[in-house]
Amino acid sequence: MAISAPEQGPSADLLALLATLADGLPWHPRALPLDAATLERTLAEARHWGLPLQQKEGGQVRLRYPYPPLRAAAVAQGAGWDSTDVGVLPWCDSSNERLRHGPQGPRALLCEGQWAGRGRRGRRWSSPFGRHLYLSLSWPVATLPEQGSVALVAALSVHHVLQSLGIPGLGVKWPNDLWVNGRKLAGILVEAIPQMGQPRLIIGLGLNVHGDPALPHTAISLHDAGARIDRNTLAGSILRQWETDLRRYGEEGFTAFLPRWQATDCLAGRWVQVSAPDGIREGRAQGVDAHGRLILADESGLHAIAMGEASLRPTATP
């Protein structure tokens, strides 16, 4: 789903041009004055970033969406929200990062592509334009809960939505991924914002949707799995399910979701390797506890492992 992001972000001219072209209509100098040299330099920069800007005869410039573009109104309708609650950007550093800056603005933000998306353990990613779903939700809470269990609830919500597509081998992998037959379909990042008055969670999702030749062999898209769905419909359904499940989580805690986890856990009973700052541990995955911690069985007994900075991968049975 991702490749290493360049260290420097795009120029102000490129961002302004993308904003002007976000509606799919061609650029006109009256909307954004750019001289010929600046326009040529900006188009070259767009090619460097892999952005599909096209200049046709007569100088007309257009942003070419490879698939139907994201529309805030369509996503909001699917979520049952007001259209002002959803924002769409053609390109941004990170949808999670954009929602971190204050409680004002949309409750959810989508972007067609990212040049500095963030993952767990400090990973940074750039993401191809217009192919996948990059979605972030700002969720107010009374007190900040355990981020690990929230990530599991968010993943279970996405799994619930995708079940209707009939994808064989679809499951949830601790601590924050969705897999299809051992290949990564989606990842979730939960960040806590402990601000005065109203703490918030920022829940970010990266979900592979369309065909993408840049995906590594360890990843898979909905298209690869034989599923077809419009991204606006998908995003609206996920936001609606997130709202339902997060409200229940706030009232009942993670215990209410344990039956769903047990039905979708793709590593249950498998031999796994857990890497954490204090070392590597191997054992058999035995599900999760009421706090969303992984239960690992090895020769010394059972161990509860919090998400934290841990990562997990299946291994061959010893």
Side-chain angles (χ1 to χ4, degrees):
M1 182 176 65
I3 56 176
S4 297
E7 293 183 1
Q8 294 184 340
S11 68
D13 287 330
L14 178 56
L15 291 176
L17 183 58
L18 285 172
T20 302
L21 301 175
D23 57 6
L25 298 177
W27 166 77
H28 193 281
R30 286 197 299 269
L32 179 67
L34 294 174
D35 58 48
T38 301
L39 180 60
E40 182 177 355
R41 183 175 65 251
T42 304
L43 291 174
E45 183 186 358
R47 289 191 294 271
H48 169 76
W49 286 98
L51 293 171
L53 288 184
Q54 290 183 324
Q55 184 173 26
K56 299 184 178 181
E57 294 183 9
Q60 186 182 83
V61 178
R62 185 185 297 269
L63 179 61
R64 179 178 58 83
Y65 290 89
Y67 299 96
L70 296 167
R71 301 295 187 196
V75 174
Q77 182 179 17
W81 292 4
D82 187 274
S83 60
T84 58
D85 288 333
V86 178
V88 173
L89 296 173
W91 207 36
C92 72
D93 47 358
S94 158
S95 55
N96 266 31
E97 184 65 25
R98 294 300 177 98
L99 281 186
R100 290 176 60 91
H101 299 297
Q104 304 301 318
R107 295 164 60 192
L109 183 66
L110 303 93
C111 57
E112 292 284 2
Q114 299 183 128
W115 72 80
R118 294 200 310 276
R120 292 183 64 243
R121 309 179 79 188
R123 295 186 181 96
R124 297 177 67 84
W125 312 97
S126 64
S127 312
F129 180 89
R131 291 183 180 272
H132 306 307
L133 184 63
Y134 316 115
L135 167 65
S136 295
L137 170 69
S138 177
W139 186 257
V141 292
T143 58
L144 291 173
E146 297 162 315
Q147 290 170 245
S149 58
V150 175
L152 297 185
V153 171
L156 289 171
S157 297
V158 178
H159 183 278
H160 181 81
V161 170
L162 296 180
Q163 272 186 313
S164 63
L165 301 179
I167 303 171
L170 176 67
V172 183
K173 172 192 169 288
W174 190 90
N176 65 328
D177 293 340
L178 281 88
W179 277 14
V180 174
N181 294 320
R183 298 167 68 188
K184 184 172 179 176
L185 175 67
I188 289 172
L189 176 67
V190 176
E191 300 179 276
I193 313 297
Q195 60 193 29
M196 295 292 291
Q198 182 66 79
R200 295 181 296 141
L201 296 171
I202 305 295
I203 301 173
L205 168 70
L207 171 61
N208 302 326
V209 178
H210 293 294
D212 182 358
L215 283 179
H217 72 278
T218 54
I220 190 171
S221 69
L222 292 178
H223 178 273
D224 298 334
R228 305 290 186 271
I229 187 170
D230 174 73
R231 290 183 300 157
N232 293 296
T233 301
L234 179 59
S237 297
I238 290 172
L239 288 175
R240 183 185 290 270
Q241 191 64 42
W242 270 352
E243 185 167 34
T244 297
D245 287 341
L246 289 170
R247 290 191 188 281
R248 186 182 183 192
Y249 174 83
E251 296 169 357
E252 305 177 39
F254 184 69
T255 303
F257 295 87
L258 281 173
R260 281 170 60 180
W261 174 265
Q262 291 162 359
T264 60
D265 182 1
C266 61
L267 294 181
R270 296 183 61 180
W271 195 263
V272 298
Q273 182 183 85
V274 179
S275 300
D278 60 351
I280 296 176
R281 186 188 296 269
E282 292 190 351
R284 197 175 299 278
Q286 300 290 332
V288 299
D289 65 11
H291 301 281
R293 297 175 300 186
L294 176 73
I295 303 301
L296 187 73
D298 63 15
E299 65 279 358
S300 63
L302 297 178
H303 310 273
I305 300 173
M307 181 174 77
E309 290 297 300
S311 65
L312 177 150
R313 66 181 181 89
T315 62
T317 303

